[in-house]
PDB file of all heavy atoms in Angstrom:
ATOM      1  N   ARG A  14      31.057 339.881 105.511  1.00 97.00           N
ATOM      2  CA  ARG A  14      31.497 341.107 104.834  1.00 97.00           C
ATOM      3  C   ARG A  14      30.492 341.497 103.768  1.00 97.00           C
ATOM      4  O   ARG A  14      29.930 340.647 103.068  1.00 97.00           O
ATOM      5  CB  ARG A  14      32.859 340.925 104.198  1.00 97.00           C
ATOM      6  CG  ARG A  14      33.971 340.603 105.182  1.00 97.00           C
ATOM      7  CD  ARG A  14      35.295 340.426 104.450  1.00 97.00           C
ATOM      8  NE  ARG A  14      35.243 339.366 103.447  1.00 97.00           N
ATOM      9  CZ  ARG A  14      36.198 339.126 102.537  1.00 97.00           C
ATOM     10  NH1 ARG A  14      37.268 339.920 102.498  1.00 97.00           N
ATOM     11  NH2 ARG A  14      36.087 338.141 101.679  1.00 97.00           N
ATOM     12  N   THR A  15      30.287 342.793 103.603  1.00 97.00           N
ATOM     13  CA  THR A  15      29.422 343.323 102.545  1.00 97.00           C
ATOM     14  C   THR A  15      30.179 344.356 101.732  1.00 97.00           C
ATOM     15  O   THR A  15      30.722 345.313 102.272  1.00 97.00           O
ATOM     16  CB  THR A  15      28.155 344.010 103.131  1.00 97.00           C
ATOM     17  OG1 THR A  15      27.489 343.098 103.999  1.00 97.00           O
ATOM     18  CG2 THR A  15      27.214 344.425 102.012  1.00 97.00           C
ATOM     19  N   PHE A  16      30.269 344.113 100.429  1.00 98.00           N
ATOM     20  CA  PHE A  16      30.890 345.070  99.516  1.00 98.00           C
ATOM     21  C   PHE A  16      29.819 345.602  98.590  1.00 98.00           C
ATOM     22  O   PHE A  16      29.134 344.837  97.897  1.00 98.00           O
ATOM     23  CB  PHE A  16      31.995 344.392  98.688  1.00 98.00           C
ATOM     24  CG  PHE A  16      33.201 344.033  99.495  1.00 98.00           C
ATOM     25  CD1 PHE A  16      33.260 342.834 100.192  1.00 98.00           C
ATOM     26  CD2 PHE A  16      34.278 344.912  99.578  1.00 98.00           C
ATOM     27  CE1 PHE A  16      34.360 342.521 100.966  1.00 98.00           C
ATOM     28  CE2 PHE A  16      35.389 344.602 100.333  1.00 98.00           C
ATOM     29  CZ  PHE A  16      35.425 343.394 101.035  1.00 98.00           C
ATOM     30  N   LEU A  17      29.622 346.923  98.589  1.00 98.00           N
ATOM     31  CA  LEU A  17      28.621 347.547  97.754  1.00 98.00           C
ATOM     32  C   LEU A  17      29.319 348.327  96.647  1.00 98.00           C
ATOM     33  O   LEU A  17      29.976 349.337  96.894  1.00 98.00           O
ATOM     34  CB  LEU A  17      27.715 348.469  98.585  1.00 98.00           C
ATOM     35  CG  LEU A  17      26.354 348.800  97.971  1.00 98.00           C
ATOM     36  CD1 LEU A  17      25.404 349.366  99.027  1.00 98.00           C
ATOM     37  CD2 LEU A  17      26.450 349.775  96.810  1.00 98.00           C
ATOM     38  N   ILE A  18      29.207 347.833  95.420  1.00 98.00           N
ATOM     39  CA  ILE A  18      29.760 348.499  94.241  1.00 98.00           C
ATOM     40  C   ILE A  18      28.643 349.300  93.590  1.00 98.00           C
ATOM     41  O   ILE A  18      27.587 348.727  93.279  1.00 98.00           O
ATOM     42  CB  ILE A  18      30.303 347.468  93.225  1.00 98.00           C
ATOM     43  CG1 ILE A  18      31.240 346.472  93.879  1.00 98.00           C
ATOM     44  CG2 ILE A  18      30.955 348.165  92.038  1.00 98.00           C
ATOM     45  CD1 ILE A  18      31.417 345.190  93.060  1.00 98.00           C
ATOM     46  N   THR A  19      28.822 350.568  93.398  1.00 98.00           N
ATOM     47  CA  THR A  19      27.793 351.333  92.728  1.00 98.00           C
ATOM     48  C   THR A  19      28.329 351.977  91.441  1.00 98.00           C
ATOM     49  O   THR A  19      29.437 352.502  91.406  1.00 98.00           O
ATOM     50  CB  THR A  19      27.169 352.421  93.640  1.00 98.00           C
ATOM     51  OG1 THR A  19      26.067 353.040  92.936  1.00 98.00           O
ATOM     52  CG2 THR A  19      28.177 353.478  94.065  1.00 98.00           C
ATOM     53  N   GLN A  20      27.489 351.896  90.398  1.00 96.00           N
ATOM     54  CA  GLN A  20      27.780 352.587  89.153  1.00 96.00           C
ATOM     55  C   GLN A  20      27.326 354.033  89.224  1.00 96.00           C
ATOM     56  O   GLN A  20      27.659 354.829  88.334  1.00 96.00           O
ATOM     57  CB  GLN A  20      27.055 351.904  87.988  1.00 96.00           C
ATOM     58  CG  GLN A  20      27.450 350.463  87.762  1.00 96.00           C
ATOM     59  CD  GLN A  20      26.626 349.838  86.678  1.00 96.00           C
ATOM     60  OE1 GLN A  20      26.933 349.973  85.487  1.00 96.00           O
ATOM     61  NE2 GLN A  20      25.561 349.157  87.034  1.00 96.00           N
ATOM     62  N   ASN A  21      26.558 354.377  90.258  1.00 96.00           N
ATOM     63  CA  ASN A  21      25.996 355.711  90.370  1.00 96.00           C
ATOM     64  C   ASN A  21      27.014 356.701  90.912  1.00 96.00           C
ATOM     65  O   ASN A  21      27.862 356.348  91.733  1.00 96.00           O
ATOM     66  CB  ASN A  21      24.784 355.692  91.309  1.00 96.00           C
ATOM     67  CG  ASN A  21      23.709 354.745  90.802  1.00 96.00           C
ATOM     68  OD1 ASN A  21      23.620 354.468  89.616  1.00 96.00           O
ATOM     69  ND2 ASN A  21      22.891 354.245  91.712  1.00 96.00           N
ATOM     70  N   VAL A  22      26.918 357.932  90.441  1.00 96.00           N
ATOM     71  CA  VAL A  22      27.827 358.978  90.914  1.00 96.00           C
ATOM     72  C   VAL A  22      27.193 359.828  92.008  1.00 96.00           C
ATOM     73  O   VAL A  22      27.842 360.738  92.541  1.00 96.00           O
ATOM     74  CB  VAL A  22      28.338 359.854  89.752  1.00 96.00           C
ATOM     75  CG1 VAL A  22      29.151 359.030  88.776  1.00 96.00           C
ATOM     76  CG2 VAL A  22      27.180 360.556  89.036  1.00 96.00           C
ATOM     77  N   ASP A  23      25.935 359.545  92.337  1.00 97.00           N
ATOM     78  CA  ASP A  23      25.308 360.268  93.451  1.00 97.00           C
ATOM     79  C   ASP A  23      25.880 359.747  94.769  1.00 97.00           C
ATOM     80  O   ASP A  23      26.624 358.763  94.808  1.00 97.00           O
ATOM     81  CB  ASP A  23      23.785 360.115  93.404  1.00 97.00           C
ATOM     82  CG  ASP A  23      23.306 358.656  93.576  1.00 97.00           C
ATOM     83  OD1 ASP A  23      23.629 358.051  94.607  1.00 97.00           O
ATOM     84  OD2 ASP A  23      22.623 358.135  92.671  1.00 97.00           O
ATOM     85  N   ASP A  24      25.533 360.414  95.860  1.00 97.00           N
ATOM     86  CA  ASP A  24      26.065 360.029  97.172  1.00 97.00           C
ATOM     87  C   ASP A  24      24.976 359.461  98.085  1.00 97.00           C
ATOM     88  O   ASP A  24      25.103 359.521  99.315  1.00 97.00           O
ATOM     89  CB  ASP A  24      26.732 361.235  97.852  1.00 97.00           C
ATOM     90  CG  ASP A  24      25.748 362.352  98.148  1.00 97.00           C
ATOM     91  OD1 ASP A  24      24.625 362.349  97.612  1.00 97.00           O
ATOM     92  OD2 ASP A  24      26.106 363.271  98.907  1.00 97.00           O
ATOM     93  N   LEU A  25      23.929 358.889  97.506  1.00 98.00           N
ATOM     94  CA  LEU A  25      22.799 358.437  98.306  1.00 98.00           C
ATOM     95  C   LEU A  25      23.145 357.221  99.166  1.00 98.00           C
ATOM     96  O   LEU A  25      22.658 357.095 100.294  1.00 98.00           O
ATOM     97  CB  LEU A  25      21.593 358.141  97.413  1.00 98.00           C
ATOM     98  CG  LEU A  25      21.079 359.377  96.626  1.00 98.00           C
ATOM     99  CD1 LEU A  25      19.791 359.032  95.879  1.00 98.00           C
ATOM    100  CD2 LEU A  25      20.836 360.575  97.559  1.00 98.00           C
ATOM    101  N   HIS A  26      23.987 356.317  98.671  1.00 98.00           N
ATOM    102  CA  HIS A  26      24.449 355.225  99.527  1.00 98.00           C
ATOM    103  C   HIS A  26      25.244 355.767 100.715  1.00 98.00           C
ATOM    104  O   HIS A  26      25.084 355.311 101.848  1.00 98.00           O
ATOM    105  CB  HIS A  26      25.324 354.258  98.734  1.00 98.00           C
ATOM    106  CG  HIS A  26      24.580 353.357  97.792  1.00 98.00           C
ATOM    107  ND1 HIS A  26      23.569 352.522  98.201  1.00 98.00           N
ATOM    108  CD2 HIS A  26      24.699 353.171  96.443  1.00 98.00           C
ATOM    109  CE1 HIS A  26      23.095 351.841  97.160  1.00 98.00           C
ATOM    110  NE2 HIS A  26      23.775 352.242  96.087  1.00 98.00           N
ATOM    111  N   LEU A  27      26.104 356.721 100.436  1.00 97.00           N
ATOM    112  CA  LEU A  27      26.930 357.302 101.489  1.00 97.00           C
ATOM    113  C   LEU A  27      26.080 357.981 102.537  1.00 97.00           C
ATOM    114  O   LEU A  27      26.316 357.831 103.752  1.00 97.00           O
ATOM    115  CB  LEU A  27      27.911 358.308 100.861  1.00 97.00           C
ATOM    116  CG  LEU A  27      29.039 358.824 101.753  1.00 97.00           C
ATOM    117  CD1 LEU A  27      29.956 357.698 102.180  1.00 97.00           C
ATOM    118  CD2 LEU A  27      29.810 359.916 101.017  1.00 97.00           C
ATOM    119  N   ARG A  28      25.068 358.706 102.112  1.00 97.00           N
ATOM    120  CA  ARG A  28      24.172 359.376 103.064  1.00 97.00           C
ATOM    121  C   ARG A  28      23.302 358.388 103.844  1.00 97.00           C
ATOM    122  O   ARG A  28      22.968 358.630 104.998  1.00 97.00           O
ATOM    123  CB  ARG A  28      23.303 360.400 102.333  1.00 97.00           C
ATOM    124  CG  ARG A  28      24.047 361.697 102.033  1.00 97.00           C
ATOM    125  CD  ARG A  28      23.076 362.762 101.643  1.00 97.00           C
ATOM    126  NE  ARG A  28      22.966 362.911 100.213  1.00 97.00           N
ATOM    127  CZ  ARG A  28      21.963 363.528  99.595  1.00 97.00           C
ATOM    128  NH1 ARG A  28      20.970 364.048 100.303  1.00 97.00           N
ATOM    129  NH2 ARG A  28      21.938 363.641  98.286  1.00 97.00           N
ATOM    130  N   ALA A  29      22.969 357.273 103.213  1.00 97.00           N
ATOM    131  CA  ALA A  29      22.161 356.260 103.900  1.00 97.00           C
ATOM    132  C   ALA A  29      22.897 355.633 105.061  1.00 97.00           C
ATOM    133  O   ALA A  29      22.293 355.205 106.039  1.00 97.00           O
ATOM    134  CB  ALA A  29      21.724 355.183 102.896  1.00 97.00           C
ATOM    135  N   GLU A  30      24.225 355.578 104.964  1.00 95.00           N
ATOM    136  CA  GLU A  30      25.014 354.954 106.023  1.00 95.00           C
ATOM    137  C   GLU A  30      25.528 355.950 107.044  1.00 95.00           C
ATOM    138  O   GLU A  30      26.235 355.558 107.994  1.00 95.00           O
ATOM    139  CB  GLU A  30      26.202 354.201 105.416  1.00 95.00           C
ATOM    140  CG  GLU A  30      27.235 355.109 104.760  1.00 95.00           C
ATOM    141  CD  GLU A  30      28.272 354.345 103.945  1.00 95.00           C
ATOM    142  OE1 GLU A  30      27.867 353.674 102.994  1.00 95.00           O
ATOM    143  OE2 GLU A  30      29.469 354.467 104.258  1.00 95.00           O
ATOM    144  N   ALA A  31      25.211 357.237 106.894  1.00 92.00           N
ATOM    145  CA  ALA A  31      25.738 358.272 107.777  1.00 92.00           C
ATOM    146  C   ALA A  31      25.432 357.974 109.240  1.00 92.00           C
ATOM    147  O   ALA A  31      24.286 357.677 109.600  1.00 92.00           O
ATOM    148  CB  ALA A  31      25.169 359.623 107.380  1.00 92.00           C
ATOM    149  N   GLY A  32      26.460 358.057 110.064  1.00 88.00           N
ATOM    150  CA  GLY A  32      26.290 357.899 111.497  1.00 88.00           C
ATOM    151  C   GLY A  32      26.240 356.463 111.986  1.00 88.00           C
ATOM    152  O   GLY A  32      26.151 356.218 113.186  1.00 88.00           O
ATOM    153  N   LYS A  33      26.321 355.502 111.067  1.00 92.00           N
ATOM    154  CA  LYS A  33      26.241 354.090 111.459  1.00 92.00           C
ATOM    155  C   LYS A  33      27.641 353.470 111.443  1.00 92.00           C
ATOM    156  O   LYS A  33      28.448 353.764 110.566  1.00 92.00           O
ATOM    157  CB  LYS A  33      25.319 353.321 110.519  1.00 92.00           C
ATOM    158  CG  LYS A  33      23.864 353.795 110.598  1.00 92.00           C
ATOM    159  CD  LYS A  33      22.987 352.977 109.676  1.00 92.00           C
ATOM    160  CE  LYS A  33      21.509 353.359 109.864  1.00 92.00           C
ATOM    161  NZ  LYS A  33      21.242 354.733 109.500  1.00 92.00           N
ATOM    162  N   LYS A  34      27.905 352.622 112.404  1.00 92.00           N
ATOM    163  CA  LYS A  34      29.169 351.910 112.448  1.00 92.00           C
ATOM    164  C   LYS A  34      29.029 350.633 111.628  1.00 92.00           C
ATOM    165  O   LYS A  34      28.238 349.748 111.974  1.00 92.00           O
ATOM    166  CB  LYS A  34      29.550 351.597 113.884  1.00 92.00           C
ATOM    167  CG  LYS A  34      29.855 352.839 114.722  1.00 92.00           C
ATOM    168  CD  LYS A  34      30.281 352.476 116.132  1.00 92.00           C
ATOM    169  CE  LYS A  34      30.608 353.731 116.925  1.00 92.00           C
ATOM    170  NZ  LYS A  34      31.025 353.417 118.317  1.00 92.00           N
ATOM    171  N   LEU A  35      29.837 350.533 110.569  1.00 95.00           N
ATOM    172  CA  LEU A  35      29.718 349.394 109.641  1.00 95.00           C
ATOM    173  C   LEU A  35      31.135 348.833 109.410  1.00 95.00           C
ATOM    174  O   LEU A  35      31.715 349.005 108.341  1.00 95.00           O
ATOM    175  CB  LEU A  35      29.088 349.841 108.322  1.00 95.00           C
ATOM    176  CG  LEU A  35      27.742 350.579 108.439  1.00 95.00           C
ATOM    177  CD1 LEU A  35      27.343 351.167 107.084  1.00 95.00           C
ATOM    178  CD2 LEU A  35      26.668 349.621 108.940  1.00 95.00           C
ATOM    179  N   PRO A  36      31.692 348.125 110.372  1.00 94.00           N
ATOM    180  CA  PRO A  36      33.079 347.673 110.281  1.00 94.00           C
ATOM    181  C   PRO A  36      33.334 346.617 109.221  1.00 94.00           C
ATOM    182  O   PRO A  36      34.481 346.446 108.771  1.00 94.00           O
ATOM    183  CB  PRO A  36      33.370 347.132 111.678  1.00 94.00           C
ATOM    184  CG  PRO A  36      32.021 346.737 112.215  1.00 94.00           C
ATOM    185  CD  PRO A  36      31.070 347.731 111.652  1.00 94.00           C
ATOM    186  N   ARG A  37      32.307 345.899 108.780  1.00 95.00           N
ATOM    187  CA  ARG A  37      32.522 344.815 107.796  1.00 95.00           C
ATOM    188  C   ARG A  37      31.968 345.187 106.424  1.00 95.00           C
ATOM    189  O   ARG A  37      31.617 344.326 105.643  1.00 95.00           O
ATOM    190  CB  ARG A  37      31.850 343.529 108.316  1.00 95.00           C
ATOM    191  CG  ARG A  37      32.416 343.046 109.653  1.00 95.00           C
ATOM    192  CD  ARG A  37      31.703 341.798 110.156  1.00 95.00           C
ATOM    193  NE  ARG A  37      30.274 342.036 110.342  1.00 95.00           N
ATOM    194  CZ  ARG A  37      29.738 342.638 111.400  1.00 95.00           C
ATOM    195  NH1 ARG A  37      30.512 343.074 112.384  1.00 95.00           N
ATOM    196  NH2 ARG A  37      28.426 342.805 111.494  1.00 95.00           N
ATOM    197  N   TYR A  38      31.892 346.509 106.162  1.00 97.00           N
ATOM    198  CA  TYR A  38      31.262 347.007 104.943  1.00 97.00           C
ATOM    199  C   TYR A  38      32.178 347.955 104.206  1.00 97.00           C
ATOM    200  O   TYR A  38      32.926 348.720 104.824  1.00 97.00           O
ATOM    201  CB  TYR A  38      29.984 347.736 105.350  1.00 97.00           C
ATOM    202  CG  TYR A  38      29.352 348.633 104.297  1.00 97.00           C
ATOM    203  CD1 TYR A  38      28.525 348.109 103.306  1.00 97.00           C
ATOM    204  CD2 TYR A  38      29.566 350.013 104.313  1.00 97.00           C
ATOM    205  CE1 TYR A  38      27.944 348.929 102.360  1.00 97.00           C
ATOM    206  CE2 TYR A  38      28.977 350.839 103.370  1.00 97.00           C
ATOM    207  CZ  TYR A  38      28.168 350.284 102.394  1.00 97.00           C
ATOM    208  OH  TYR A  38      27.580 351.115 101.471  1.00 97.00           O
ATOM    209  N   LYS A  39      32.148 347.897 102.876  1.00 97.00           N
ATOM    210  CA  LYS A  39      32.926 348.838 102.076  1.00 97.00           C
ATOM    211  C   LYS A  39      32.107 349.272 100.863  1.00 97.00           C
ATOM    212  O   LYS A  39      31.536 348.439 100.164  1.00 97.00           O
ATOM    213  CB  LYS A  39      34.245 348.204 101.623  1.00 97.00           C
ATOM    214  CG  LYS A  39      35.207 349.229 100.995  1.00 97.00           C
ATOM    215  CD  LYS A  39      36.585 348.631 100.805  1.00 97.00           C
ATOM    216  CE  LYS A  39      37.572 349.682 100.303  1.00 97.00           C
ATOM    217  NZ  LYS A  39      37.791 350.788 101.248  1.00 97.00           N
ATOM    218  N   LEU A  40      32.072 350.589 100.624  1.00 98.00           N
ATOM    219  CA  LEU A  40      31.373 351.167  99.485  1.00 98.00           C
ATOM    220  C   LEU A  40      32.390 351.518  98.406  1.00 98.00           C
ATOM    221  O   LEU A  40      33.390 352.211  98.685  1.00 98.00           O
ATOM    222  CB  LEU A  40      30.602 352.419  99.899  1.00 98.00           C
ATOM    223  CG  LEU A  40      29.950 353.240  98.792  1.00 98.00           C
ATOM    224  CD1 LEU A  40      28.847 352.430  98.085  1.00 98.00           C
ATOM    225  CD2 LEU A  40      29.374 354.535  99.362  1.00 98.00           C
ATOM    226  N   LEU A  41      32.131 351.074  97.174  1.00 98.00           N
ATOM    227  CA  LEU A  41      33.061 351.294  96.068  1.00 98.00           C
ATOM    228  C   LEU A  41      32.335 352.004  94.930  1.00 98.00           C
ATOM    229  O   LEU A  41      31.667 351.371  94.108  1.00 98.00           O
ATOM    230  CB  LEU A  41      33.622 349.964  95.558  1.00 98.00           C
ATOM    231  CG  LEU A  41      34.335 349.100  96.619  1.00 98.00           C
ATOM    232  CD1 LEU A  41      34.648 347.724  96.052  1.00 98.00           C
ATOM    233  CD2 LEU A  41      35.614 349.769  97.095  1.00 98.00           C
ATOM    234  N   PRO A  42      32.434 353.348  94.832  1.00 98.00           N
ATOM    235  CA  PRO A  42      31.816 354.098  93.717  1.00 98.00           C
ATOM    236  C   PRO A  42      32.694 353.991  92.474  1.00 98.00           C
ATOM    237  O   PRO A  42      33.544 354.840  92.228  1.00 98.00           O
ATOM    238  CB  PRO A  42      31.717 355.515  94.274  1.00 98.00           C
ATOM    239  CG  PRO A  42      32.783 355.613  95.297  1.00 98.00           C
ATOM    240  CD  PRO A  42      33.028 354.255  95.850  1.00 98.00           C
TER     241      PRO A  42
END
């Protein structure tokens, strides 16, 4: 599992993962 916590309010992590299937991943802004 990968949990990505970001302090940033931009959406660059979200855009980087666009179109990819990441079932074991969660982004927490």
Side-chain angles (χ1 to χ4, degrees):
R14 298 180 301 170
T15 305
F16 290 85
L17 201 164
I18 308 161
T19 185
Q20 299 176 84
N21 301 335
V22 296
D23 63 58
D24 64 346
L25 298 186
H26 285 303
L27 192 62
R28 281 194 263 162
E30 67 190 60
K33 296 181 174 64
K34 294 182 179 180
L35 307 171
R37 300 177 301 279
Y38 165 83
K39 190 169 185 63
L40 173 65
L41 303 171

